[in-house]
Amino acid sequence: DGKMLSSFQSLVKPERDVASMKEIVTYITGFTLESFATAPSLQSLADQVLPYFGDDVILVGHNISFDIQFVEKYFGKIPYNASIDTFPLTQCLVHFAPSYALDVLSEYLQKFQRFGDYWKMHHMSDEKKFHDALYDCICAAVVFLYCVDYVQELARYFPVLQHVSTQVDDIFVSISIVA
C-alpha cells in the first residue's frame, strides 16, 4: 500500500579531517561541517544499516547504481534480490519533464494529483531537503509509487501490460528504497 514501515538516517563522521571538507557540502546538503565532526563512524552504524538488506529485498532508488556502489564500498557486498532504478523508469513514463534529476522531477510531478497524493501520504513538506539521504529515499519511493500506479493505469487501457502490473504487485512486499 506504499506506506513506509521503517527508516534509518544518520550523519557519518568522515575518515579524513572535517576541516578539509569543502563548504560545498554545507551548500548542497544544508549540514554544517561541525555536525559531521560529532557524528558516529561508518563502522559503528553497520548494525543499524545492514538489516535493510537481504536476499529477498528489491532495492529501489533514483540512479540506484551509485547508491549501491557507495554502500558496498563501505559495508562490503550487500545481499539483495534485484534493483529498480527510477531514473530510466521515469525517462520512459514521464514525458516532457524539464530534467530527470530527482529534485527537478519531484517538483515537476507535484502538478499531478496522483503524485501529490503520494507526496502528502509520506508527509513530504514544502521544505525541500534534496541531497539529504532520507529525504531523497522518500522522494525516490514516491516517484516509484507514482510510476507503478501509472503503469497499472496504462494496463487498464492496454491489457498486455497487466502481466507487468501483476509482477509489480508481487514484489511490493520486499522493497527497500535506497538513496
Side-chain angles (χ1 to χ4, degrees):
D1 61 2
K3 292 181 183 161
M4 183 168 37
L5 301 177
S6 66
S7 67
F8 172 76
Q9 179 176 4
S10 177
L11 291 177
V12 175
K13 184 175 186 173
E15 293 176 358
R16 63 184 180 182
D17 182 32
V18 173
S20 69
M21 294 173 63
K22 304 220 184 285
E23 291 295 321
I24 191 75
V25 172
T26 300
Y27 177 76
I28 291 172
T29 66
F31 296 116
T32 64
L33 298 182
E34 294 78 28
S35 61
F36 289 100
T38 59
S41 72
L42 196 59
Q43 295 311 322
S44 69
L45 297 172
D47 290 341
Q48 294 168 289
V49 172
L50 294 177
Y52 286 91
F53 301 95
D55 292 332
D56 60 341
V57 171
I58 297 170
L59 303 174
V60 175
H62 204 73
N63 197 11
I64 190 73
S65 62
F66 172 83
D67 299 309
I68 292 171
Q69 288 175 358
F70 179 85
V71 171
E72 288 186 340
K73 177 179 179 180
Y74 294 101
F75 294 108
K77 183 77 175 139
I78 53 169
Y80 62 94
N81 183 294
S83 64
I84 298 172
D85 193 336
T86 58
F87 188 89
L89 185 63
T90 55
Q91 288 178 313
C92 292
L93 296 174
V94 180
H95 303 287
F96 308 110
S99 169
Y100 292 93
L102 185 59
D103 55 342
V104 177
L105 182 65
S106 296
E107 288 187 30
Y108 170 77
L109 289 174
Q110 287 182 41
K111 69 181 186 179
F112 299 103
Q113 176 70 40
R114 180 180 305 122
F115 185 85
D117 292 344
Y118 284 122
W119 190 262
K120 290 174 191 155
M121 181 173 80
H122 287 87
H123 309 289
M124 299 299 279
S125 67
D126 290 334
E127 179 187 350
K128 310 292 189 267
K129 300 181 204 172
F130 295 105
H131 302 292
D132 171 282
L134 183 58
Y135 188 85
D136 284 355
C137 284
I138 296 169
C139 284
V142 171
V143 167
F144 177 71
L145 292 170
Y146 173 80
C147 288
V148 168
D149 198 38
Y150 185 65
V151 168
Q152 290 173 334
E153 181 180 328
L154 286 173
R156 286 192 289 277
Y157 298 102
F158 303 99
V160 72
L161 293 175
Q162 289 191 5
H163 175 69
V164 174
S165 180
T166 302
Q167 287 181 326
V168 168
D169 286 342
D170 292 344
I171 66 169
F172 253 123
V173 176
S174 58
I175 290 181
S176 289
I177 309 294
V178 178

